[in-house]
């Protein structure tokens, strides 16, 4: 269903219909609130075939988890869905107006932003084409399936040191510095203590499944390659609304309290856009917190006993 609902029809507008947004909207629907979900259909993990580490869904198709969530949510009669992108948002009356690409707008008393982040990969030939299939960022999501094989970490800065020290629990690790940074003496000792090899020859390209071809012609066959991407919040809405941001190791994210409330009253943020790093399980948990908090904020009497 693609809908342009009547203005002022919604208690909460949820922008972003992936795992966090679906989770938030489900809590609100079960509280019998009128909810609109606006989703452009670009999940961050859309390149990954399988999702791992999410209780009861370990190894399930990532797209199937999202599709099942959408179907279950849309069975609630108080939920409307717009296959669209929110291009702007601003305070209006006792809530917020959200602008759609055709210039129309919808209004909600509260906003839940779950727009995710976009990843920027280092400019190495062959890297982007393998993103989500043999090039990864999260060992908890993809490390086990590499069967304790040879694993590479393509450095993108000092954040890659953390990856390199973490990954030996999943296989034999080589840290490919690729000119991104030079570890200090104590960092080299820590790497050696974890059995991590350090390769300083720059990377020319990635071939095969995840084979690293170095500029001197050597080839390092790998079961998988990890890289710490740079991320940016995928939608401008949080910045337009003036939500406070924090700087994380991968990029900026929206600052929230323990209940996922942003610095702007009435705006809640959840999922990857509102934490320094995340996965499906954390996104679902964040969404539940945001949805419950948004619902409670609609009940002024609760403030008396808070």
């Amino acid at each position: 269903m693609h809908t342009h609902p009547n203005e002022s029809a919604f208690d909460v507008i949820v922008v972003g219909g992936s795992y966090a947004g679906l989770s938030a909207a489900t809590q609100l629907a079960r509280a019998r609130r009128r909810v609109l979900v606006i989703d452009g259909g670009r999940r961050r993990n859309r390149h990954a075939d399988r999702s791992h580490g999410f209780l009861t869904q370990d190894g399930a198709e990532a797209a199937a988890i999202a599709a099942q969530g959408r179907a279950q949510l849309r069975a609630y009669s108080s939920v409307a869905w717009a296959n669209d992108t929110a291009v702007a948002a601003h305070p209006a009356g006792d809530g917020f107006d959200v602008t759609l690409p055709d210039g129309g707008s919808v209004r909600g008393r509260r906003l839940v932003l779950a727009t995710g982040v976009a990843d920027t990969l280092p400019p190495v030939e062959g890297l982007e084409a393998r993103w989500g299939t043999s090039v990864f960022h999260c060992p908890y999501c993809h490390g086990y399936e590499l069967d304790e094989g040879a694993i590479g970490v393509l450095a993108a800065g000092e954040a890659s040191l953390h990856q390199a020290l973490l990954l030996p629990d999943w296989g034999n690790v080589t840290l490919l510095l690729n000119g991104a940074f030079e570890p200090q003496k104590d960092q080299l000792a820590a790497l050696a203590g974890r059995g991590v090899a350090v390769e300083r020859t720059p990377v020319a390209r990635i071939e095969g499944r995840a084979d690293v071809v170095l500029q001197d012609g050597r080839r390092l066959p790998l079961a998988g390659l990890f890289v710490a991407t740079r991320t940016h919040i995928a939608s401008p809405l949080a910045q337009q609304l003036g939500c406070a941001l924090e700087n994380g190791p991968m990029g900026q994210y929206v600052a929230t309290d323990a209940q996922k409330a942003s610095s702007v009253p009435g705006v809640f943020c959840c999922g990857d856009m509102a934490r320094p790093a995340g996965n499906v399980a954390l996104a679902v948990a964040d969404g539940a917190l945001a949805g419950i908090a948004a619902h409670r904020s609609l009940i002024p009497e609760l403030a008396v006993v808070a």
Side-chain angles (χ1 to χ4, degrees):
M1 177 180 70
H2 184 100
T3 180
H4 278 213
N6 292 329
E7 189 175 296
S8 302
F10 299 100
D11 292 309
V12 182
I13 296 175
V14 178
V15 183
S18 187
Y19 311 105
L22 290 169
S23 180
T26 298
Q27 304 302 319
L28 290 156
R30 291 189 56 77
R32 299 187 179 276
R33 293 291 183 162
R34 283 281 291 155
V35 183
L36 171 67
V37 180
I38 303 172
D39 181 60
R42 286 179 62 84
R43 299 184 339 271
R44 183 186 184 190
N45 73 344
R46 63 191 178 277
H47 301 294
D49 181 44
R50 301 282 169 176
S51 174
H52 295 280
F54 183 23
L55 192 65
T56 77
Q57 297 289 336
D58 190 31
E61 292 183 9
I65 297 173
Q68 183 180 13
R70 285 194 300 272
Q72 291 179 348
L73 173 65
R74 294 175 70 175
Y76 288 92
S77 61
S78 63
V79 174
W81 187 281
N83 294 313
D84 224 330
T85 303
V87 297
H90 62 271
D94 64 348
F96 302 89
D97 277 350
V98 177
T99 305
L100 302 176
D102 65 359
S105 67
V106 288
R107 181 170 295 181
R109 294 171 61 194
R110 300 290 186 269
L111 283 183
V112 173
L113 302 182
T115 60
V117 298
D119 296 280
T120 300
L121 298 168
V124 174
E125 180 184 342
L127 195 67
E128 187 171 358
R130 293 162 176 80
W131 180 238
T133 56
S134 59
V135 176
F136 313 109
H137 74 98
C138 174
Y140 296 100
C141 303
H142 304 287
Y144 186 86
E145 283 62 43
L146 300 181
D147 293 328
E148 300 181 292
I151 297 172
V153 175
L154 179 62
E158 287 208 35
S160 300
L161 183 69
H162 177 82
Q163 278 188 322
L165 291 170
L166 188 64
L167 276 159
D169 284 0
W170 286 274
N172 300 312
V173 178
T174 299
L175 173 59
L176 303 148
L177 294 177
N178 200 38
F181 78 108
E182 177 59 38
Q184 299 176 8
K185 185 177 180 179
D186 59 337
Q187 294 172 333
L188 289 170
L191 291 165
R194 288 285 280 161
V196 177
V198 176
E199 177 60 65
R200 290 179 172 80
T201 303
V203 174
R205 60 190 178 277
I206 313 299
E207 294 182 345
R209 173 173 170 77
D211 294 353
V212 172
V213 180
L214 301 173
Q215 286 189 359
D216 61 9
R218 284 181 293 139
R219 177 185 294 265
L220 304 180
L222 300 173
L225 184 64
F226 286 80
V227 59
T229 61
R230 295 297 300 170
T231 62
H232 66 271
I233 299 169
S235 165
L237 268 61
Q239 291 96 321
Q240 289 174 2
L241 290 162
C243 297
L245 305 180
E246 293 189 10
N247 292 313
M250 299 171 66
Q252 285 189 320
Y253 62 97
V254 179
T256 63
D257 67 11
Q259 303 304 313
K260 308 311 295 180
S262 77
S263 62
V264 176
V267 179
F268 301 82
C269 298
C270 55
D272 289 354
M273 69 172 295
R275 56 169 45 252
N279 59 26
V280 173
L282 292 172
V284 170
D286 279 358
L289 286 170
I292 291 168
H295 171 243
R296 291 179 176 177
S297 77
L298 292 166
I299 305 171
E301 291 81 2
L302 284 177
V304 177
V305 297

